[in-house]
Amino acid sequence: MVIDFRRMSPIIAIYVIFLIGINTKYGACDLDRNKTAILAVDASADSGRKIPDTLFGIFFEEINHAGAGGIWAELVNNRGFEAGGQNTPSDFSPWAIIGNESTVFVGTDRSAPFKRNAVALRVQANCDADECPSTGVGVYNPGFWGMNIEDGKGYKLILYVKSLDSINISTSLTTSDGLQTLATSNIVASASDVSNWTKVQLELFAIGSTPNGRLQLTTNKKGVFWLDQVSLMPMDTFMGHGFREDLVSMLADLKPRFVRFPGGCYVEGERLSNAFRWTASIGPWEERPGHYGDVWQYWTDDGLGYFEFLQLAEDLGASPVWVINNGVSHRISVSTTNILPWVQDALNSIEFARGDASSTWGSVRASMGHPDPFDLKYIAVGNEDCGKKFYRGNYLKFYNAIKEAYPDIEIISNCDGSRTTLDHPADYYDYHIYTSTSDMYKMKDFFNSASRSGPKAFVSEYAVTDSSAGTGSLLASLGEAAFLIGLEKNSDVVEMASYAPLFVNANDRRWNPDAIVFNSAQMYGTPSYWMQHFFKESSGAVLNPTYILPNLSSQLAASAVTWKTSDYGSFLKIKIVNIGSDSVNLKIMVSGLTHTINSLSSSTTILTSHHVMDENSFLNPTKVVPQKSVLTDANTEMDVVLSPHSFTSFDLALEQTSYAADM
Ligand code: AHR
């Protein structure tokens, strides 16, 4: 540890020198088990530095069915029957047939009323009431590994139907075997009502629960009908905007300051033809063609499109960070000479988000129910594309055009500026780090030697990913916590950071580990998710200098921030990672405080477990979660014991504070 006495107030410097004197008895770099280490916190007003308001946010990628079958609450999988491709007959799975070859014939054709998604499902019932099985004949959709149907809850069903005859179609929510009906309603219409494609909307109220339900559309009436764009949404969604309440609440609890979206590799595609295209993801959901994301290898109906991502960021009170495709995919890149239409497409996307409601693209946004502009201020040009042949040429075209039209937009380059000066203009450089726990722990010092001039760093993807992470271990979270402590300390050059990936549907684990694990009805945070809770007050807080004596930087990492709640006054939050397997006796000495400490409202929170590789699971979702308790002896001098393999926060309530802050 190098202590920079020039950065300290004289009183604090003398104090630290005094502490060093005490500690030379212990030896420079190790700590005898029975000896006490000292953490000196300089809380004097003039030694603090404000952390950027944007420091900690989230990165949402459509990976692991994080969106489709994840935070987007749509329960029907392949609602438009397009997943099997545009040539018919096509595979319409996961839809499946109810009935047998003699009673029903089901297949796709191209008769749908929507220009960009022409495939529809044709159902031909060959039986009448007395001939049909008691279940009727037709189709069911099992959703994304089962629909979560909850007793007493309402579900909005919308579908498009056409028939040349009268119809009587039973719509029902059932258990996975179809034997128990949890909600039902019939669509009865004369031929003249449905001879053209007709939108039908109804509400189903569940009288029972199952995490593994399905939607059935059946009939007991001989004849042919067509179905298209079948949607089933829970009536309760996060802020009424279509997001799964339980999952997005876990994001809201992190108080993210930005949302980077929609990828990741998802933005690029293996091939450009399979990359996310924002124009295909906006407008009425029925008219969106959907697409096959070939990097993570699944179909999305694009119900979660560009508009919804902007809405999500707004609902979380976070700044959107829109990652645009700059004509570069994993395999093929558009040459810089041909890139201008892509540049125009990016400008259009910004107009969609920010333009006046009377502008060409702003009016499309307004027609979707958001006349006011979204607060889009950050554009990332590509994802991990720096080394690609046309990246730099393309980047400059995007940079110049965006800056000319929107000078206030901050642009993020894919090229790493942490060790070398970028050869192109940028407001931020994107930095990704996936590594082992031990390396991540050491990375706490990585930005100490990053250039202090030039673009700021945006660590948009970080995670421990080797075997020490398991499927989300305590150990990995400790390495990451130390890394984030390092980012706080270097937040003069690192302005934004986010863990990756955020979500995994346990039925489709394409990437491991992830912050939040879920299935149709359950979810839990991995220790890496809970570790982030310790940092949710850091953005915009004041960083106070900390010094650990003796130098134990291979075992301990600490930082301190002062932050003010809107209601409860100010807190000094001291965070310490002990990645070692021994407990540490620690004397915390706070100097320079101008406030008194209210010990009744002070608290301590610890993230640890019996074994360093412990994880949470559906069976034991709270095995490794922060445990909070009152810090009764809170004072400017405290003797504490840091548990082995732990991350601890001491939250000292300052002055008139009278309630413990939420963890
Ligand atoms: O976070 C998972 C993937 O890791 C992202 O898609 C990509 O940017 C990185 O390689």
Side-chain angles (χ1 to χ4, degrees):
M1 177 181 63
V2 177
I3 299 178
D4 185 353
F5 292 101
R6 289 165 307 176
R7 290 171 66 179
M8 288 181 213
S9 67
I11 292 179
I12 300 300
I14 291 165
Y15 181 62
V16 171
I17 288 165
F18 167 71
L19 296 177
I20 292 171
I22 296 174
N23 277 276
T24 43
K25 291 180 203 156
Y26 297 160
C29 294
D30 56 352
L31 187 69
D32 194 301
R33 278 193 182 189
N34 302 317
K35 299 285 168 51
T36 300
I38 291 172
L39 172 64
V41 179
D42 178 357
S44 57
D46 58 352
S47 63
R49 173 175 53 73
K50 186 172 183 286
I51 293 174
D53 291 329
T54 50
L55 186 57
F56 294 118
I58 54 176
F59 163 44
F60 181 91
E61 175 163 22
E62 179 61 271
I63 182 175
N64 304 321
H65 275 88
I71 64 167
W72 189 243
E74 174 63 69
L75 291 165
V76 177
N77 186 351
N78 188 17
R79 68 184 176 195
F81 308 102
E82 315 294 320
Q86 289 300 307
N87 294 324
T88 59
S90 58
D91 175 13
F92 50 84
S93 64
W95 289 90
I97 297 171
I98 298 173
N100 60 32
E101 285 178 15
S102 64
T103 54
V104 67
F105 181 89
V106 181
T108 50
D109 65 20
R110 291 181 52 83
S111 65
F114 306 109
K115 217 169 59 194
R116 293 189 295 183
N117 48 5
V119 178
L121 193 73
R122 179 180 181 277
V123 180
Q124 178 183 319
N126 295 327
C127 58
D128 263 322
D130 47 343
E131 306 147 351
C132 288
S134 57
T135 51
V137 296
V139 288
Y140 71 84
N141 188 291
F144 298 87
W145 302 280
M147 295 179 180
N148 186 35
I149 307 300
E150 293 180 88
D151 191 11
K153 294 269 170 82
Y155 299 84
K156 186 154 79 174
L157 176 66
I158 298 178
L159 57 78
Y160 286 74
V161 63
K162 188 180 90 163
S163 177
L164 301 178
D165 301 316
S166 62
I167 54 168
N168 188 340
I169 301 172
S170 165
T171 71
S172 47
L173 305 180
T174 72
T175 48
S176 61
D177 52 11
L179 294 180
Q180 199 187 332
T181 300
L182 305 174
T184 190
S185 181
N186 276 33
I187 302 171
V188 181
S190 64
S192 59
D193 286 339
V194 290
S195 58
N196 291 316
W197 280 103
T198 304
K199 183 176 185 175
V200 177
Q201 182 165 327
L202 51 89
E203 287 167 4
L204 295 166
F205 290 92
I207 50 161
S209 296
T210 175
N212 200 15
R214 69 192 207 185
L215 169 70
Q216 297 195 162
L217 304 170
T218 53
T219 188
N220 285 310
K221 181 178 179 305
K222 200 177 269 183
V224 176
F225 61 87
W226 284 262
L227 295 168
D228 198 22
Q229 298 301 335
V230 182
S231 166
L232 181 74
M233 286 288 258
M235 270 144 76
D236 295 334
T237 60
F238 189 80
M239 295 180 83
H241 289 145
F243 293 94
R244 211 173 117 174
E245 184 107 50
D246 53 353
L247 295 180
V248 174
S249 297
M250 288 186 78
L251 299 184
D253 288 347
L254 287 175
K255 302 187 183 170
R257 295 302 179 94
F258 65 84
V259 181
R260 175 179 183 249
F261 68 86
C265 299
Y266 180 71
V267 169
E268 307 163 87
E270 283 300 329
R271 293 179 174 77
L272 281 174
S273 51
N274 291 321
F276 176 78
R277 295 302 181 92
W278 74 273
T279 45
S281 77
I282 58 166
W285 57 268
E286 301 94 319
E287 295 173 19
R288 302 181 192 179
H291 80 287
Y292 178 74
D294 60 353
V295 177
W296 307 122
Q297 298 178 12
Y298 58 91
W299 174 264
T300 63
D301 290 320
D302 285 335
L304 174 53
Y306 179 46
F307 176 92
E308 289 75 18
F309 281 118
L310 292 165
Q311 186 67 66
L312 175 67
E314 183 175 272
D315 290 349
L316 292 172
S319 289
V321 179
W322 166 219
V323 185
I324 55 169
N325 186 309
N326 63 108
V328 176
S329 72
H330 280 185
R331 298 195 194 180
I332 288 171
S333 300
V334 178
S335 69
T336 304
T337 47
N338 292 350
I339 202 63
L340 287 187
W342 292 73
V343 174
Q344 187 56 52
D345 187 65
L347 292 174
N348 294 347
S349 76
I350 301 171
E351 183 179 285
F352 175 88
R354 298 191 9 165
D356 193 86
S358 60
S359 63
T360 307
W361 287 102
S363 67
V364 181
R365 181 198 68 240
S367 73
M368 294 178 72
H370 202 289
D372 292 335
F374 287 107
D375 190 22
L376 176 64
K377 290 187 297 233
Y378 300 99
I379 297 286
V381 179
N383 173 69
E384 295 185 343
D385 293 331
C386 183
K388 308 256 173 69
K389 189 171 170 199
F390 294 112
Y391 181 73
R392 283 154 200 263
N394 291 4
Y395 172 89
L396 278 177
K397 299 280 185 199
F398 282 87
Y399 181 90
N400 291 333
I402 294 170
K403 282 288 184 187
E404 190 182 334
Y406 302 95
D408 65 307
I409 285 200
E410 309 233 60
I411 299 186
I412 301 152
S413 164
N414 285 179
C415 299
D416 178 3
S418 64
R419 291 293 180 270
T420 51
T421 310
L422 294 190
D423 60 2
H424 51 267
D427 298 297
Y428 294 87
Y429 61 88
D430 203 355
Y431 188 86
H432 295 182
I433 172 75
Y434 295 103
T435 187
S436 62
T437 298
S438 57
D439 192 46
M440 187 64 90
Y441 183 85
K442 288 182 202 135
M443 288 287 296
K444 70 187 186 331
D445 300 321
F446 178 80
F447 286 96
N448 295 359
S449 43
S451 167
R452 261 45 202 173
S453 61
K456 305 288 184 190
F458 179 4
V459 183
S460 71
E461 300 182 22
Y462 71 85
V464 170
T465 46
D466 74 341
S467 57
S468 67
T471 51
S473 68
L474 168 66
L475 181 59
S477 73
L478 297 179
E480 291 154 359
F483 178 60
L484 294 195
I485 281 175
L487 297 192
E488 286 182 331
K489 292 182 164 178
N490 283 289
S491 56
D492 56 325
V493 285
V494 183
E495 288 207 351
M496 302 165 95
S498 42
Y499 179 90
L502 204 45
F503 285 108
V504 59
N505 185 318
N507 296 290
D508 187 31
R509 197 182 280 270
R510 303 268 158 179
W511 185 284
N512 175 68
D514 308 271
I516 299 170
V517 185
F518 66 91
N519 57 25
S520 71
Q522 297 164 286
M523 81 259 142
Y524 63 86
T526 60
S528 295
Y529 168 79
W530 290 109
M531 173 279 298
Q532 294 176 62
H533 278 250
F534 287 72
F535 294 87
K536 63 188 184 186
E537 307 298 351
S538 295
S539 306
V542 170
L543 180 77
N544 305 113
T546 47
Y547 310 94
I548 298 176
L549 300 164
N551 182 352
L552 291 168
S553 67
S554 61
Q555 183 176 351
L556 300 184
S559 69
V561 300
T562 312
W563 56 281
K564 208 170 169 10
T565 67
S566 48
D567 311 325
Y568 306 143
S570 300
F571 286 81
L572 172 64
K573 187 182 197 76
I574 302 166
K575 301 190 287 290
I576 312 164
V577 174
N578 176 13
I579 205 157
S581 48
D582 291 328
S583 59
V584 172
N585 298 324
L586 187 73
K587 182 181 276 299
I588 299 177
M589 307 183 87
V590 182
S591 62
L593 261 191
T594 49
H595 302 74
T596 55
I597 293 173
N598 177 344
S599 67
L600 285 180
S601 301
S602 298
S603 60
T604 180
T605 306
I606 181 166
L607 182 68
T608 190
S609 193
H610 297 298
H611 192 274
V612 74
M613 290 304 289
D614 278 353
E615 302 187 354
N616 294 325
S617 63
F618 288 128
L619 283 178
N620 196 349
T622 56
K623 184 172 186 173
V624 193
V625 297
Q627 301 294 339
K628 182 175 176 177
S629 53
V630 174
L631 189 59
T632 41
D633 53 355
N635 212 325
T636 49
E637 272 198 39
M638 295 181 292
D639 291 310
V640 301
V641 179
L642 301 177
S643 302
H645 298 132
S646 64
F647 185 24
T648 311
S649 153
F650 299 93
D651 291 82
L652 306 184
L654 305 179
E655 246 180 11
Q656 70 278 36
T657 308
S658 55
Y659 299 99
D662 293 338
M663 168 45 219

